[in-house]
Amino acid sequence: MAEKNAYNIAVVGATGAVGKKILQILEEKDFPINELKVLASKRSAGKTIEFKGEEKTIEEATPESFNGVDIALFSAGGSVTKALANEAVERGAVVIDNTSAFRMTEGVPLVVPEVNKEDIKDHKGIIANPNCSTIQMVAALSPIKEMFGLSRIIVSTYQAVSGAGDHAINELEKQTEQYINGKEMEANVLPVGSEEKHYPIAFNALPQIDVFSDGGYTQEEWKMINESKKILHDQELSVAATCVRLPVFTSHAESVYIEVDKDDVTVEDLWKVLESAPGIVLQDEPSKQVYPTPLSSADKDEVFVGRVRKDPDKANGFHLWIVSDNLVKGAALNTVQIAQSVVDNNWL
């Protein structure tokens, strides 16, 4: 039984890039934890991981792991979520899931707390964390939509390899060394591990993230399209995406074109909205070369916006540059913020 105002927490996928970041943020934010379970695959069971100066033994994630758990934070892949999420709910846990397994499921809230926190209260045991690229984009565009309306989004992403996991990070490091030393680069992970063809990511750009699907769009692109409409509660919103992987370790960048509904909106109007928006930092001084970059945004909680420009041909069109750490706000932090919203509002 949890002590008053403290909760029994399970982190599923604790050894992965996002899982490790979740544990780090739970510690940094001093989340009210009574008991912590760190869960992973059978091959990781028995190993230890440090949390608040103590060694925590990793356990294999099984249905019984969730007995007595209040909140389970999942980041172990869609197959694990599909196998264990409902088992956790049946045992009384609220599941906050980082995969795409339930994002578009009817009745499952898809949440960025700065945008649609109130959706959490209608959960039926599972709350979905959006795609990393979607999170930073809707966080920046939601306040603009609220103030000026929003009819169209066209986004091109420039995504870090950490979004594809530790194997992709390791491959970028190895390929960089191979290239510099004049050796042939070995490619086994990107653009998609399960696909037949693989291409080097070092000194390259890959216009494929996830597998190709309807209309020539990748699953990653469809995630951005469909998730944005769900989070912003606007199925009529026009959204198109092109998602590209770059040889960057951390932080996704996005070039975003939008069309607002109101006339006579200025760049200064957008600046004012963005400056007062929760979780947004405006870095936009072209004369001083001030704008966000992946390196400057790494390990930070916020979503950074710069390069705000009016379209030269479309009166209600604007261009923005949006950057955020994909493992922090794009995944782990957003997950912990959802959990914090659950306990703060008694939405267990």
Side-chain angles (χ1 to χ4, degrees), residues 203-333:
F203 307 97
N204 206 3
L206 303 180
Q208 180 189 0
I209 299 178
D210 212 328
V211 297
F212 284 100
S213 184
D214 298 342
Y217 288 85
T218 64
Q219 289 283 12
E220 182 85 354
E221 291 157 355
W222 278 117
K223 288 173 192 174
M224 293 197 74
I225 292 166
N226 294 324
E227 291 176 21
S228 297
K229 295 180 180 185
K230 182 173 180 177
I231 297 164
L232 295 171
H233 300 161
D234 187 354
Q235 290 301 313
E236 301 304 312
L237 182 63
S238 296
V239 187
T242 301
C243 295
V244 181
R245 189 78 71 189
L246 290 189
V248 171
F249 287 113
T250 305
S251 298
H252 294 345
E254 300 171 346
S255 173
V256 183
Y257 169 77
I258 62 170
E259 292 177 6
V260 299
D261 295 338
K262 289 188 178 180
D263 296 329
D264 301 322
V265 177
T266 66
V267 168
E268 289 74 18
D269 292 331
L270 294 193
W271 280 346
K272 288 177 184 177
V273 169
L274 291 165
E275 283 176 330
S276 61
I280 303 297
V281 174
L282 182 67
Q283 296 179 333
D284 196 4
E285 295 182 76
S287 64
K288 298 180 181 178
Q289 292 181 277
V290 173
Y291 41 74
T293 69
L295 278 177
S296 66
S297 305
D299 296 320
K300 295 189 171 69
D301 290 355
E302 298 86 1
V303 173
F304 298 87
V305 182
R307 301 294 321 277
V308 181
R309 290 151 287 146
K310 203 173 181 76
D311 189 83
D313 299 309
K314 192 78 173 177
N316 64 335
F318 292 87
H319 300 264
L320 304 89
W321 177 247
I322 302 171
V323 188
S324 190
D325 188 314
N326 55 296
L327 298 181
V328 181
K329 182 55 183 170
L333 175 63

Side-chain angles (χ1 to χ4, degrees), residues 60-301:
E60 180 185 359
T62 67
E64 292 70 34
S65 301
F66 302 99
N67 292 333
V69 169
D70 298 310
I71 300 175
L73 309 178
F74 275 67
S75 64
S79 60
V80 175
T81 292
K82 289 175 182 177
L84 293 175
N86 284 314
E87 296 282 357
V89 173
E90 286 178 10
R91 288 163 172 78
V94 172
V95 168
I96 303 172
D97 180 44
N98 261 287
T99 77
S100 60
F102 292 101
R103 286 176 188 160
M104 299 310 298
T105 301
E106 186 76 25
V108 174
L110 182 65
V111 177
V112 179
E114 294 91 340
V115 177
N116 63 329
K117 181 172 67 176
E118 290 297 312
D119 289 358
I120 297 172
K121 66 177 183 287
D122 297 322
H123 78 80
K124 298 174 178 62
I126 298 175
I127 304 162
N129 200 59
N131 176 270
C132 45
S133 299
T134 305
I135 289 173
Q136 66 188 66
M137 184 175 76
V138 299
L141 297 187
S142 177
I144 294 173
K145 184 178 190 293
E146 186 175 335
M147 185 65 67
F148 306 115
L150 189 62
S151 58
R152 184 171 191 140
I153 303 170
I154 300 175
V155 54
S156 295
T157 71
Y158 309 87
Q159 297 183 220
V161 294
S162 54
D166 287 338
H167 291 307
I169 294 172
N170 295 337
E171 186 157 278
L172 173 56
E173 291 176 338
K174 186 176 181 180
Q175 288 172 358
T176 301
E177 184 177 346
Q178 289 169 335
Y179 184 89
I180 289 172
N181 290 313
K183 298 179 181 178
E184 183 178 352
M185 291 186 285
E186 300 171 19
N188 301 297
V189 177
L190 295 172
V192 182
S194 61
E195 291 271 78
E196 182 179 345
K197 288 185 178 180
H198 299 101
Y199 298 102
I201 184 61
F203 307 97
N204 206 3
L206 303 180
Q208 180 189 0
I209 299 178
D210 212 328
V211 297
F212 284 100
S213 184
D214 298 342
Y217 288 85
T218 64
Q219 289 283 12
E220 182 85 354
E221 291 157 355
W222 278 117
K223 288 173 192 174
M224 293 197 74
I225 292 166
N226 294 324
E227 291 176 21
S228 297
K229 295 180 180 185
K230 182 173 180 177
I231 297 164
L232 295 171
H233 300 161
D234 187 354
Q235 290 301 313
E236 301 304 312
L237 182 63
S238 296
V239 187
T242 301
C243 295
V244 181
R245 189 78 71 189
L246 290 189
V248 171
F249 287 113
T250 305
S251 298
H252 294 345
E254 300 171 346
S255 173
V256 183
Y257 169 77
I258 62 170
E259 292 177 6
V260 299
D261 295 338
K262 289 188 178 180
D263 296 329
D264 301 322
V265 177
T266 66
V267 168
E268 289 74 18
D269 292 331
L270 294 193
W271 280 346
K272 288 177 184 177
V273 169
L274 291 165
E275 283 176 330
S276 61
I280 303 297
V281 174
L282 182 67
Q283 296 179 333
D284 196 4
E285 295 182 76
S287 64
K288 298 180 181 178
Q289 292 181 277
V290 173
Y291 41 74
T293 69
L295 278 177
S296 66
S297 305
D299 296 320
K300 295 189 171 69
D301 290 355

